[in-house]
């Protein structure tokens, strides 16, 4: 069991499969990209599956989320999903993607055992999409979303970040579109995870701003804390139901006390929090001669035992992680 000194138990594992991405979102990385991890530093498919097996069979992990960078760029993704689906007990498996390659891969991922997807989409306007991502791929994302829904990778959740002066007026339109297409929309406050360190707290669109905008067109009824559990999103019933909209307010309404997540980077580091500035190396233990599952589990437990009480975002002296979100996994 992965327990910390505050009594929280991690049952949800986020696995970054690559630091590479085929978009250049302004809130994530510079236009020219980043210094990618060297191939020898990345975990192999076998190493990823081994760590997930240890997490599921020895450490109580019940849910796996595959992330990146962009996880659909990982050549062995379908095989990794298939092998993890064969574990006993079988973990629930989802994937966070920008959706560009989803039209091509949704059928294979569903057949391999993936349960559902989260797709990042910040705007309904192709020109704004191009400005935000520096790529002209808006149609590809929409087609990927439709393919995921058609293949039963549901509920399909859409993750949206609102940026001042770009898409901050789109919240009601995005929710109307999500309701029409039976997607679950989740707004995420912009977080300090960009490589340029350009995030400004006083310039972000807050959860309060988002809800006020949505209420100009929709009746929202709070779902209640009893339904939320350890989920990061607060949810509201839209116009009496059945559709819901979520808001992940990592900055203004942190939910650290209920956190049940542990994170594995693409190069085999354990992160106890998305905003952690320290990591614990599992790759070295994996590659050591005569490495044993028990030893790897012991290192992982020790890392999680030292998890801090909160993210630190509410501290004015917050120290932003050196590694950008593309290398950590959202």
């Amino acid at each position: 069991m992965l327990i910390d000194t505050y009594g929280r138990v991690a049952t949800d594992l986020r696995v970054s499969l690559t630091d590479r991405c085929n978009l250049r979102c302004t809130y994530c990385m510079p236009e020219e990209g980043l210094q990618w991890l060297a191939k020898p530093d990345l975990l192999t498919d076998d190493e990823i599956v081994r760590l997930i097996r240890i997490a599921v069979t020895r450490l109580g992990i019940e849910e796996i989320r595959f992330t990146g960078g962009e996880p659909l760029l990982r050549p062995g993704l379908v095989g990794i999903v298939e092998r993890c689906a064969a574990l006993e007990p079988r973990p629930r498996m989802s994937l966070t993607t920008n959706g560009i390659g989803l039209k091509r891969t949704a059928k294979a991922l569903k057949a391999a055992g993936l349960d559902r997807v989260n797709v990042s989409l910040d705007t309904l306007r192709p020109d704004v999409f191009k400005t935000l991502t520096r790529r002209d791929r808006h149609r590809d994302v929409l087609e990927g979303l439709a393919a995921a829904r058609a293949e039963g990778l549901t509920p399909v959740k859409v993750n949206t970040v609102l940026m001042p002066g770009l898409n901050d007026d789109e919240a009601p339109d995005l929710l109307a579109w999500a309701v029409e297409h039976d997607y679950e929309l989740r707004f995420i406050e912009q977080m300090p995870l960009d490589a340029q360190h350009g995030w400004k707290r006083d310039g972000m669109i807050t959860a309060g701003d988002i809800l006020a905008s949505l209420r100009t067109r929709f009746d929202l009824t709070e779902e209640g804390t009893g339904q939320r559990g350890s989920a990061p999103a607060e949810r509201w019933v839209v116009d009496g139901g059945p559709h819901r909209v979520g808001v992940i307010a990592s900055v203004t309404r942190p939910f650290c006390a209920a956190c049940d997540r542990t994170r594995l980077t693409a190069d085999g580091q354990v992160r106890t929090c998305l905003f952690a500035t320290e990591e614990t190396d599992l790759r070295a233990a994996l590659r050591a001669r005569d490495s044993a599952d028990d030893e790897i589990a012991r290192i992982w437990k020790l890392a999680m035992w030292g998890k801090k009480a909160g993210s630190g975002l509410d501290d004015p002296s917050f120290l932003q992680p050196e590694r950008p979100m593309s290398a950590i996994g959202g």
Side-chain angles (χ1 to χ4, degrees):
M1 185 166 61
L2 293 172
I3 189 170
D4 64 34
T5 55
Y6 299 92
R8 296 168 298 191
V9 178
T11 57
D12 184 333
L13 171 60
R14 308 295 171 98
V15 181
S16 175
L17 297 178
T18 178
D19 60 330
R20 296 175 183 266
C21 189
N22 42 13
L23 296 181
R24 296 292 182 269
C25 296
T26 56
Y27 53 78
C28 184
M29 69 172 73
E31 185 170 6
E32 65 274 15
L34 298 167
Q35 182 69 43
W36 307 123
L37 292 168
K39 188 173 181 180
D41 293 336
L42 291 169
L43 295 179
T44 66
D45 292 359
D46 286 344
E47 288 171 336
I48 289 171
V49 173
R50 183 183 175 192
L51 286 176
I52 293 174
R53 175 177 56 77
I54 291 169
V56 169
T57 62
R58 294 172 180 260
L59 298 174
I61 291 297
E62 299 171 357
E63 184 164 353
I64 310 295
R65 173 82 62 84
F66 297 107
T67 70
E70 173 45 51
L72 294 182
L73 296 179
R74 177 88 187 199
L77 171 62
V78 172
I80 291 171
V81 171
E82 187 172 35
R83 292 168 68 183
C84 291
L87 293 173
E88 291 291 344
R90 183 198 187 281
R92 298 185 299 275
M93 290 184 294
S94 59
L95 178 137
T96 295
T97 172
N98 62 32
I100 287 177
L102 201 48
K103 180 181 179 181
R104 172 176 49 83
T105 56
K107 187 179 185 67
L109 287 169
K110 180 64 176 180
L114 192 70
D115 295 304
R116 63 170 194 82
V117 295
N118 287 26
V119 178
S120 299
L121 179 65
D122 300 322
T123 178
L124 298 176
R125 304 168 185 162
D127 59 324
V128 176
F129 182 91
K130 188 174 181 179
T131 299
L132 279 168
T133 67
R134 305 184 179 105
R135 299 290 187 271
D136 189 12
R137 306 296 297 273
H138 190 257
R139 178 181 292 275
D140 294 320
V141 180
L142 295 181
E143 291 178 348
L145 279 160
R149 184 186 59 206
E151 293 298 336
L153 292 169
T154 54
V156 175
K157 297 183 180 180
V158 177
N159 294 339
T160 296
V161 176
L162 296 181
M163 304 283 288
L166 286 172
N167 62 341
D168 52 337
D169 62 336
E170 286 196 67
D173 290 341
L174 281 158
L175 181 52
W177 166 82
V179 167
E180 178 186 355
H181 291 87
D182 200 25
Y183 303 139
E184 183 175 325
L185 182 62
R186 309 193 312 169
F187 292 97
I188 304 175
E189 288 183 337
Q190 185 190 3
M191 295 179 284
L193 292 168
D194 59 307
Q196 309 92 292
H197 291 193
W199 178 81
K200 297 283 191 298
R201 183 187 295 267
D202 57 4
M204 60 175 284
I205 308 299
T206 67
D209 298 331
I210 295 164
L211 292 169
S213 178
L214 293 176
R215 286 186 168 118
T216 63
R217 194 183 306 180
F218 300 94
D219 178 58
L220 302 181
T221 304
E222 191 168 2
E223 191 174 57
T225 54
Q227 297 292 322
R228 183 180 181 183
S230 61
E234 298 176 76
R235 299 204 308 175
W236 283 261
V237 179
V238 180
D239 290 340
H243 294 95
R244 285 160 171 74
V245 63
V247 178
I248 299 177
S250 301
V251 179
T252 62
R253 304 180 186 179
F255 38 86
C256 302
C259 181
D260 66 347
R261 285 170 290 288
T262 183
R263 298 174 182 275
L264 182 65
T265 68
D267 55 348
Q269 310 299 306
V270 169
R271 294 180 68 92
T272 60
C273 173
L274 187 59
F275 303 101
T277 55
E278 299 175 347
E279 299 175 335
T280 300
D281 187 12
L282 290 185
R283 186 184 62 201
L286 269 178
R287 295 179 178 178
R289 184 178 301 176
D290 301 324
S291 66
D293 289 356
D294 285 344
E295 175 61 11
I296 294 168
R298 185 193 67 80
I299 296 171
W300 205 331
K301 286 180 181 180
L302 188 61
M304 293 305 296
W305 181 251
K307 183 174 181 174
K308 295 180 179 179
S311 64
L313 285 175
D314 53 351
D315 184 344
S317 62
F318 169 74
L319 181 64
Q320 183 168 339
E322 286 302 313
R323 295 226 276 177
M325 183 161 52
S326 63
I328 298 169

